[in-house]
Amino acid sequence: MDPVPALREPLKKVLGPATAKVMAEHLGLHTVGDLLHHYPRRYEERGQLTHLADLPMDEHVTVVAQVADARLHTFASSKAPRGKGQRLEVTITDGSGRLQLVFFGNGVHKPHKELLPGTRAMFSGKVSVFNRRLQLAHPAYELLRGDAEGEETAESWAGALIPLYPATAKLESWKLAKAIQTVLPSAQEAVDPLPESLREGRGLVSLPEALLKIHRPHTKADIEDARARLKWDEAFVLQVALARRRHAETQLPAVPRRPSPDGLLTAFDGRLPFTLTEGQQRVSREIFDDLATDHPMHRLLQGEVGSGKTLVALRAMLAVVDSGGQAVMLAPTEVLAQQHHRSVVEMMGELAEGGMLGGAEHATKVVLLTGSMGAAARRHALLDLATGEAGIVIGTHALIEDKVQFHDLGLVVVDEQHRFGVEQRDALRGKGKQPPHLLVMTATPIPRTVAMTVFGDLETSVLDQLPAGRSPIASHVVPAADKPHFLARAWERVREEVANGHQAYVVCPRIGDEDDDPKKGAKPSGRPPQDDADKRPPLAVLDVAEGLAKGPLQGLGVEVLHGRMQPDDKDAVMRRFAAGETDVLVATTVIEVGVNVPNATAMVIMDADRFGVSQLHQLRGRVGRGSAPGLCLLVSEMPEASAARQRLNAVASTRDGFELSRIDLEQRREGDVLGQAQSGARTSLRVLAVIEDEEIIAEARREAAAVVAADPELTGLPGLRTALQALLDEEREQYLEKG
């Protein structure tokens, strides 16, 4: 029998089809349980009004305020030429500020009767500006009163605190509150997922009590009790899911891969012209220990931009080839796959010439496989994979196609994992006779708690040292609108770098060809137009390159690179740039990861405010890769006080990628971060904040590991099993299944 029938009840049965449809379409709420877990965003106290002075523009808000005055105006218009048009203007106040409400036409009659001076109500609508004053046009409202007529309203807002819910224009906060009051009695039937010993040991209230207190708190302490409990639910249930995944991995068979004492890896290490950093040695040991076990390695390798992740991954691949297996590296773009292939072949030298004249004794073959290869080259590559002739394969998702067969796939290395769908990784892993070992690499630093939450089924290694010889990168914000001469100086700096024998990148957010956004507003002058930066289209590679070649960088070799070029053309451009034949490369973010040209020392990022913090950090990592210091100039037209400029100042002020990823996460909605990593599934985290609640997540991980070790199937914890099923909807379950 279903243990929670009341919470699984469809909302259309309880609230009616019309309301249920809006909840499903706009808020993703389908059952009574979903609605009970739709928590208030914040609470208003009856005696304390919202700060109207702090309202955000263009956002849908709910405020509690008092009517100060109301005026009805008549006017002539095309619809009412004889002066019969009506406009009601109501001013509301909360002591901190005033806000204008406007109603037009037939919509004035009801508010004209109800919104009398002194009336208190909740108002909901989109904040706009008219005549330099904040206003809500045609807001929905709910009176807060205690007379006989409003008895039901007064009853529904009984208690000192008014919950305000994440709402939509179609469904105001108070309507959600009423719907939740209707289903709240069902909270008594909620089955508690936390083991009793854990709940009592940590002094947490029961789940039914937490649901009642979060929706109908009488005091602030009620809210604290409820949130503390619900945070634990979210952290613990997710960590149990991940702990079960890790446990299941240890049950899978894999072929142990150990390097031979004087094989390919030893020969490769003997060729290296430098010694590995301590961090590279430590992380390599962790990986080799995993590879030597008889269950699949599942490891996330995080490394700062330029920390030498590719070298660590290559050594792991060579260890697998030593043991008779094959290793594959999956890259997100053809440019990056070709770049990896070039750099691996260069690092290995004659060790990459297996089966060829001049190949070393322990050599293997390093094969590139991408979607745009010619038929003959592709046939050749596929044959090398199937026979085992190629020990190392580097490619794009062309590797995942059915035709691609491996002789003995032992290791899959995924570069920049967040760019691959779960299904793609899974398809590649399915090509081994037994599950291959998996190493996931990312140059986007991930705060520890996000790693524990999003990549919780992977063990984590961190490379936080830069190799010797890496140069510092100076970063500066160039305020193009406030100080145009700063932008002119930026182009002078680029010319100076080129005069000193170096090269530069110029990065733009857009390509600028006919398939792209309209070009209106982007002027090919090499400097941004002076109109409002967030109104015009983002600057485009083709326009900027043309403007620079004819203007401030005239006489220098300027080329373009973007994602819609033919693969051979892209490769030719990169080869010329890498060989030093091109002075300035104007590109989109196609150069963001993995591109390695040590002679490139300067980067100018146009419309830098259009990029995320982590993306800017990644882009900046393309310079300062040699012995000469790097320079990164972040060009923006956003005003100094704007959030966008503060973000750029943060990037300019620190090279610490982990610090920047923290800032990035705090500035974005957490769900975006988690949702992206969790295969697009709606994030389950409603009260847990992965940055603030680090301690809870770490403790929940420990508790979850202990629970799963003692009872992997959770047979003694039916409530926890039910919660797992509810939390891990089908899509997320697949995400965890596929790792």
Side-chain angles (χ1 to χ4, degrees):
M1 186 183 139
D2 190 338
V4 281
L7 299 195
R8 297 248 179 107
E9 191 79 51
L11 287 172
K12 63 179 175 218
K13 279 193 178 175
V14 186
L15 303 174
T19 306
K21 186 168 185 255
V22 175
M23 286 191 178
E25 285 177 6
H26 294 275
L27 296 168
L29 307 174
H30 303 278
T31 65
V32 168
D34 290 344
L35 185 54
L36 285 174
H37 288 291
H38 187 72
Y39 308 133
R41 179 175 284 154
R42 58 191 174 85
Y43 301 84
E44 282 298 348
E45 292 181 63
R46 282 197 175 278
Q48 177 201 342
L49 297 169
T50 323
H51 281 287
L52 293 181
D54 302 335
L55 289 181
M57 279 294 299
D58 285 338
E59 279 196 27
H60 199 272
V61 299
T62 301
V63 296
V64 178
Q66 190 160 354
V67 176
D69 60 61
R71 297 169 307 287
L72 188 63
H73 302 277
T74 55
F75 59 91
S77 71
S78 56
K79 290 183 179 172
R82 296 185 185 166
K84 294 287 175 63
Q86 290 190 309
R87 181 176 79 247
L88 176 66
E89 290 178 4
V90 178
T91 306
I92 58 173
T93 179
D94 68 346
S96 76
R98 295 163 84 81
L99 181 65
Q100 182 112 332
L101 315 178
V102 289
F103 302 87
F104 294 99
N106 294 333
V108 305
H109 304 308
K110 187 167 178 273
H112 188 219
K113 277 195 299 204
E114 293 182 335
L115 297 180
L116 305 172
T119 305
R120 296 181 40 122
M122 289 203 292
F123 302 93
S124 185
K126 195 173 181 184
V127 183
S128 58
V129 170
F130 182 70
N131 279 346
R132 301 196 164 193
R133 289 167 66 190
L134 290 179
Q135 72 167 24
L136 297 181
H138 280 284
Y141 62 88
E142 177 84 350
L143 302 181
L144 298 175
R145 57 194 179 188
D147 55 300
E149 186 191 338
E151 204 171 315
E152 184 205 343
T153 311
E155 173 55 34
S156 60
W157 305 115
L161 294 157
I162 302 168
L164 296 183
Y165 290 90
T168 72
K170 297 255 194 268
L171 201 66
E172 292 87 10
S173 172
W174 53 85
K175 289 184 182 164
L176 273 164
K178 283 180 179 171
I180 287 166
Q181 295 302 330
T182 306
V183 301
L184 205 49
S186 304
Q188 295 301 339
E189 297 188 39
V191 180
D192 206 317
L194 294 191
E196 203 169 325
S197 56
L198 188 157
R199 190 164 65 74
E200 288 177 356
R202 295 186 178 275
L204 299 168
V205 300
S206 70
L207 181 56
E209 189 181 338
L211 290 170
L212 285 170
K213 282 183 167 178
I214 198 123
H215 291 299
R216 292 202 73 166
H218 292 293
T219 62
K220 287 184 175 173
D222 284 352
I223 300 169
E224 287 310 308
D225 285 352
R227 287 178 68 82
R229 164 60 213 247
L230 295 167
K231 280 182 180 192
W232 254 95
D233 277 21
E234 289 181 5
F236 181 70
V237 175
L238 186 55
Q239 291 302 335
V240 166
L242 295 165
R244 289 184 76 194
R245 183 74 203 118
R246 288 195 302 278
H247 181 269
E249 290 294 345
T250 63
Q251 309 305 304
L252 285 176
V255 179
R257 308 282 180 176
R258 296 183 183 88
S260 42
D262 52 358
L264 187 55
L265 179 62
T266 308
F268 174 75
D269 284 350
R271 283 179 50 89
L272 286 177
F274 50 80
T275 51
L276 299 179
T277 65
E278 275 175 47
Q280 286 172 322
Q281 290 175 26
R282 184 192 73 248
V283 170
S284 290
R285 278 195 301 274
E286 292 169 353
I287 291 171
F288 291 152
D289 288 349
D290 283 0
L291 289 173
T293 60
D294 55 9
H295 57 83
M297 166 172 80
H298 265 83
R299 192 164 281 280
L300 171 69
L301 172 55
Q302 289 191 64
E304 270 289 14
V305 177
S307 58
K309 290 182 302 301
T310 310
L311 177 62
V312 169
L314 177 56
R315 294 184 75 241
M317 292 164 86
L318 294 173
V320 169
V321 176
D322 256 355
S323 72
Q326 290 169 293
V328 57
M329 181 184 270
L330 192 57
T333 64
E334 293 211 351
V335 167
L336 191 50
Q338 287 160 342
Q339 171 90 25
H340 276 319
H341 182 254
R342 269 202 302 277
S343 61
V344 164
V345 169
E346 276 166 26
M347 280 195 271
M348 288 177 64
E350 73 269 16
L351 296 174
E353 296 170 358
M356 293 154 71
L357 276 174
E361 180 196 348
H362 298 292
T364 187
K365 214 175 205 181
V366 180
V367 168
L368 176 69
L369 186 66
T370 64
S372 66
M373 286 170 77
R378 186 179 175 77
R379 228 180 3 257
H380 208 106
L382 289 172
L383 189 64
D384 284 343
L385 266 61
T387 59
E389 186 84 12
I392 292 178
V393 188
I394 296 168
T396 55
H397 40 285
L399 285 167
I400 295 163
E401 292 172 12
D402 290 343
K403 290 180 199 150
V404 180
Q405 298 298 325
F406 293 89
H407 177 65
D408 179 14
L409 182 58
L411 170 66
V412 176
V413 178
V414 180
D415 192 22
E416 288 306 316
Q417 97 88 28
H418 59 279
R419 302 188 174 210
F420 280 102
V422 171
E423 295 74 14
Q424 293 170 311
R425 290 210 307 274
D426 190 49
L428 193 52
R429 282 171 55 193
K431 291 185 178 289
K433 293 187 178 73
Q434 286 193 335
H437 299 280
L438 176 70
L439 179 65
V440 166
M441 299 199 298
T442 178
T444 306
I446 303 165
R448 176 170 162 259
T449 44
V450 182
M452 283 194 290
T453 311
V454 181
F455 302 105
D457 56 338
L458 301 175
E459 299 301 326
T460 303
S461 295
V462 178
L463 271 177
D464 46 14
Q465 277 174 294
L466 290 184
R470 274 296 161 86
S471 303
I473 303 173
S475 303
H476 304 284
V477 178
V478 177
D482 311 346
K483 298 177 179 170
H485 59 287
F486 275 36
L487 184 59
R489 175 70 188 124
W491 302 127
E492 280 173 27
R493 282 292 290 113
V494 170
R495 294 193 79 99
E496 286 165 17
E497 289 298 311
V498 173
N500 288 332
H502 299 301
Q503 293 158 278
Y505 298 98
V506 176
V507 182
C508 305
R510 199 162 64 86
I511 297 172
D513 58 14
E514 63 280 359
D515 294 333
D516 214 349
D517 297 336
K519 290 191 209 170
K520 61 178 187 295
K523 300 174 188 171
S525 64
R527 56 172 281 180
Q530 293 303 309
D531 59 347
D532 192 350
D534 57 358
K535 295 287 196 300
R536 62 166 171 75
L539 290 171
V541 165
L542 300 179
D543 300 333
V544 169
E546 186 188 347
L548 289 173
K550 290 178 179 172
L553 302 186
Q554 196 168 4
L556 302 186
V558 177
E559 287 210 61
V560 300
L561 180 71
H562 59 75
R564 276 208 284 273
M565 290 165 65
Q566 289 302 313
D568 288 353
D569 296 342
K570 280 191 278 200
D571 197 37
V573 168
M574 271 318 297
R575 279 179 190 278
R576 286 196 292 275
F577 190 65
E581 295 165 22
T582 307
D583 298 318
V584 179
L585 187 63
V586 183
T588 56
T589 54
V590 70
I591 60 147
E592 179 186 347
V593 283
V595 172
N596 185 22
V597 180
N599 192 45
T601 53
M603 176 177 284
V604 181
I605 303 179
M606 307 302 290
D607 280 348
D609 47 89
R610 312 262 182 161
F611 300 97
V613 169
S614 295
Q615 199 172 27
L616 291 169
H617 183 58
Q618 286 283 347
L619 286 165
R620 170 171 63 183
R622 301 302 110 217
V623 295
R625 299 179 78 82
S627 53
L631 172 69
C632 179
L633 301 174
L634 306 166
V635 179
S636 171
E637 295 190 357
M638 297 305 281
E640 195 163 353
S642 65
R645 272 285 285 282
Q646 287 165 10
R647 214 168 56 233
L648 296 182
N649 291 340
V651 174
S653 67
T654 178
R655 285 291 323 281
D656 182 343
F658 286 92
E659 176 58 27
L660 288 173
S661 69
R662 234 181 151 81
I663 293 167
D664 199 16
L665 193 56
E666 282 164 0
Q667 290 189 339
R668 291 197 282 166
R669 285 207 340 275
E670 231 143 38
D672 298 342
V673 179
L674 298 170
Q676 177 190 23
Q678 300 196 341
S679 188
R682 191 161 59 89
T683 175
S684 60
L685 303 189
R686 295 183 178 86
V687 285
L688 191 72
V690 290
I691 288 289
E692 291 160 29
D693 298 321
E694 184 165 339
E695 216 171 290
I696 293 177
I697 292 169
E699 287 180 25
R701 185 179 169 95
R702 280 196 295 276
E703 293 271 12
V707 164
V708 171
D711 180 5
E713 294 306 311
L714 310 178
T715 42
L717 297 164
L720 180 52
R721 277 214 316 277
T722 303
L724 267 181
Q725 287 160 6
L727 182 83
L728 303 176
D729 53 35
E730 208 172 313
E731 188 176 6
R732 185 181 263 93
E733 184 72 69
Q734 284 176 351
Y735 162 78
L736 289 168
E737 274 306 306
K738 292 176 178 175

